[in-house]
Amino acid sequence: MARLLLFNKPYGVLSQFTGGGPGETLAAFIQLPGLYPAGRLDKDSEGLLLLTDDGGLQHRLSHPRHKQWKTYWVQVEGVPEAGQLERLRRGVELNDGPTRPARVRPLAEPALWPRDPPVRFRRQIPTAWIEIAIREGRNRQVRRMTAAVGLPTLRLVRVAVGRWGLDGLLPGESRLLEVRGPD
């Protein structure tokens, strides 16, 4: 059996154990030895980060070849139009090539924890939420995708990877599971 830790990574925390200031790395939250991140979340993104002690499971969770769906709730600047959502669904052209098609839908504002620091607010520019699920994991991909269709990302929260979700974990909280490694 492999250990799998579901961790709600707070805003401003690096997806690594070393290299940041006090409170800026996983070491401030996770004291279990032998666990390594299966994938990454940018410092300015929040939400589900999976860590495991099984190299095969880590590879299966994070490598694009295994096509694990990663689901994000994204607060964007502006109100998405049908054409913008359809472009995201079909895939958009980025400077490192086209993205694969994504699952995209409008989303009512989710009941999330407050972000510290808060998202910037501009009274004259509306914001909206969308859910995006992708099977890739390029650097800052979701942010670049929304920007490519004219909807800059203000807040990005990963809520699921494959069959695992946040399920009530608050920022900084984690849940340890025992799962079968890849067979």
Side-chain angles (χ1 to χ4, degrees), residues 50-175:
L50 301 178
L51 297 93
T52 183
D53 60 356
D54 184 286
L57 179 58
Q58 180 185 31
H59 177 77
R60 201 170 95 225
L61 290 170
S62 59
H63 198 280
R65 183 179 65 197
H66 298 288
K67 296 181 173 54
Q68 293 286 330
W69 285 102
K70 294 174 272 313
T71 304
Y72 301 84
W73 290 348
V74 187
Q75 185 181 22
V76 296
E77 189 173 87
V79 177
E81 297 174 2
Q84 292 169 305
L85 297 176
E86 187 55 33
R87 284 181 60 203
L88 290 169
R89 287 183 190 110
R90 287 192 318 259
V92 296
E93 185 68 38
L94 301 177
N95 61 359
D96 56 352
T99 65
R100 291 183 176 163
R103 296 176 180 166
V104 181
R105 68 180 182 94
L107 186 67
E109 183 171 348
L112 291 172
W113 52 89
R115 196 183 85 176
D116 184 26
V119 172
R120 66 182 161 89
F121 176 73
R122 297 196 293 186
R123 206 175 326 198
Q124 67 276 22
I125 300 177
T127 67
W129 286 86
I130 57 177
E131 181 178 270
I132 299 178
I134 60 173
R135 287 184 160 181
E136 300 174 276
R138 298 188 218 174
N139 186 40
R140 301 179 69 81
Q141 181 175 341
V142 171
R143 292 176 188 280
R144 294 189 299 141
M145 288 173 69
T146 62
V149 299
L151 298 166
T153 293
L154 299 173
R155 187 173 183 190
L156 181 70
V157 180
R158 182 160 59 195
V159 295
V161 175
R163 66 180 188 208
W164 293 286
L166 280 177
D167 298 328
L169 291 175
L170 294 174
E173 292 182 347
S174 61
R175 181 177 304 115

